[in-house]
């Protein structure tokens, strides 16, 4: 039902998430923000079981901030991703596993941009592009076909638009709007919300 | 974990070892409460077995319609009053709004016992907050307290869908909190098995610049039409209006009378 997508360029990462918070067949909220700011240059996108998503993401967010307070410097995106994965893994075989799917996007001074894919079984993979949700079945092939490592910012946004138009055309559920953000060496930038034509 | 150490939260196994010794009990730690539970208990499995047909059946009270929406002049809260246990109507005048304090209301849907207990506990926590901090708790904090109570009992079969409504320094506040620790802030929510019918009416009739009387009528209409279609909702409409200086109870009207009043437009 929910959809996340991330595209890494040469010196930026572009991420987008849908804005619907649903409960069985009802849309409870149409402007839900599924991106959590872990630090000035790291975003965590989180979808999955109701309740688990926000609770797990806020738990990671506060722990990352605590690390900065205690040690005086921030975790890198790679370290944050591995920390998140370890938490998922620890809870996986407990009585209360967190059923969440995540994308972690960040910009590191030394390593550059990074996009990390994590799922509810606590897999972790660094990838040039990734998506979560039923929408991924429709859009991963578009990313395979048109992605290039040297995409400019505008080209990446166009690629994202292509994916969202495909969802609007073929996906059975109506996803009327998507939050879009871009991370580069300057930090996190909010881009214009994408609202595919033909939807409300 | 870092946060774990800082919060002063004693680990579950540490406390159990100190107090009970090994293999005796199963202590569920919570900052507010401690429930001693026998070893091997499985609340959700037990509840499933009680809902089987043909045997002893404990049907939790699930049937409800509640709604709340914000508009220019505050927040309107409207609820029905039918408490059903399966197909039996246990009460036709149940009270599904808890008046936490003059500036906070909570609605109840799902299991009546769960809602009443946890929202009364929330009331206690709000009062303690006010005594400790000399100022009223914000709607955001109150809803977060309730959400975290639900989180502590994740997977154990609680059933609660509630809206926390209030007016604090940031203005009118409306939060939806449910038993899987979902917490959403918004301008319009409806819960219960009649919620889809209520959404239809209030979505199509809502305007941000409604007058107070129009808003009352919309709340009444939402509940009435939902009770007409949903077998598990009915009784009376209890209507509240959350204003800047606190909530007022607007009216309590029988839905069968309301539906006859509306008949002309319906058939």
């Amino acid at each position: 039902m929910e959809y996340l997508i991330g595209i890494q360029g040469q010196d930026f990462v572009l991420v987008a998430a849908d804005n619907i918070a649903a409960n069985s067949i009802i849309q409870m909220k149409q402007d839900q923000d599924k991106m959590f700011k872990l630090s000035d240059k790291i975003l965590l996108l989180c979808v999955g079981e109701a309740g688990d998503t926000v609770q797990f993401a806020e738990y990671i967010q506060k722990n990352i901030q605590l690390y900065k307070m205690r040690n005086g410097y921030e975790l890198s995106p790679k370290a944050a991703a591995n920390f998140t994965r370890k938490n998922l893994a620890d809870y996986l075989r407990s009585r209360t596993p967190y059923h969440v799917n995540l994308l972690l996007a960040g910009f590191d001074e030394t390593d550059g941009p990074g996009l990390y894919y994590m799922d509810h079984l606590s897999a972790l993979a660094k990838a040039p592009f990734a998506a979560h949700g039923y929408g991924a079945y429709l859009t991963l092939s578009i990313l395979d076909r048109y992605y290039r490592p040297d995409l400019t910012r505008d080209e990446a946004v166009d690629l994202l638009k292509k994916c969202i138009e495909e969802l609007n055309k073929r996906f059975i559920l109506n996803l009327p709007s998507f939050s879009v953000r871009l991370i580069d060496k300057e930090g996190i930038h909010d881009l214009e919300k994408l609202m595919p034509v033909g939807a409300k | 974990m870092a946060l774990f150490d800082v919060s002063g939260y004693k680990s579950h196994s540490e406390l159990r070892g100190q107090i009970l010794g090994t293999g005796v009990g199963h202590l569920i730690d919570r900052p507010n409460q401690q429930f001693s539970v026998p070893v091997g208990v499985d609340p959700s499995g037990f509840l499933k077995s009680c809902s089987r047909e043909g045997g002893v059946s404990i049907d939790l009270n699930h049937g409800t319609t509640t709604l709340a929406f914000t508009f220019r002049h505050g927040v309107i809260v409207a609820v029905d009053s039918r408490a059903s246990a399966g197909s039996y109507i246990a009460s036709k005048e149940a009270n599904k709004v808890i008046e936490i304090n003059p500036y906070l209301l909570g609605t109840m849907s799902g299991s009546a016992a769960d809602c009443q207990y946890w929202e009364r506990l929330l009331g206690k926590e709000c009062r303690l907050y006010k005594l400790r901090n000399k100022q009223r708790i914000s709607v955001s904090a109150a809803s977060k307290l309730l959400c975290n109570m639900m989180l502590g009992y994740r997977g154990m079969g609680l059933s609660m869908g509630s809206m926390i409504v209030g007016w604090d320094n940031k203005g009118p506040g409306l939060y939806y909190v449910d038993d899987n620790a979902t917490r959403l802030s918004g301008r319009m929510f409806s819960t219960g098995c009649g919620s889809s019918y209520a959404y239809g009416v209030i979505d199509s009739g809502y305007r941000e610049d409604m007058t107070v009387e129009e808003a009352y009528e919309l709340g009444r209409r939402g509940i009435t039409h939902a009770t007409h279609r949903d077998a598990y909702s009915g009784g009376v409409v209890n209507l509240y209006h959350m204003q800047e200086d606190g909530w007022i109870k607007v009216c309590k009207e029988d839905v069968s009378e309301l539906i006859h009043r509306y008949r002309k437009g319906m058939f």
Side-chain angles (χ1 to χ4, degrees), chain B residues 105-150:
Chain B
L105 290 173
T107 66
M108 310 187 199
S109 72
S111 157
D114 283 335
C115 288
Q116 282 185 356
Y117 178 81
W118 293 107
E119 295 196 22
R120 285 180 194 175
L121 192 63
L122 175 65
K124 178 190 119 187
E125 289 300 321
C126 291
R127 178 81 183 122
L128 283 173
Y129 180 97
K130 186 168 178 212
L131 287 168
R132 288 175 183 140
N133 300 284
K134 288 195 180 168
Q135 63 172 311
R136 245 182 260 115
I137 192 172
S138 67
V139 189
S140 173
S143 61
K144 194 109 190 172
L145 274 176
L146 186 61
C147 175
N148 288 338
M149 290 177 201
M150 292 299 107

Side-chain angles (χ1 to χ4, degrees), chain A residues 95, chain B residues 26 37-50 155-157:
Chain A
R95 277 189 316 112
Chain B
H26 193 77
V37 181
V39 175
V41 78
D42 171 25
S44 21
F46 166 71
L47 285 170
K48 279 202 193 88
S49 67
C50 287
M156 294 196 202

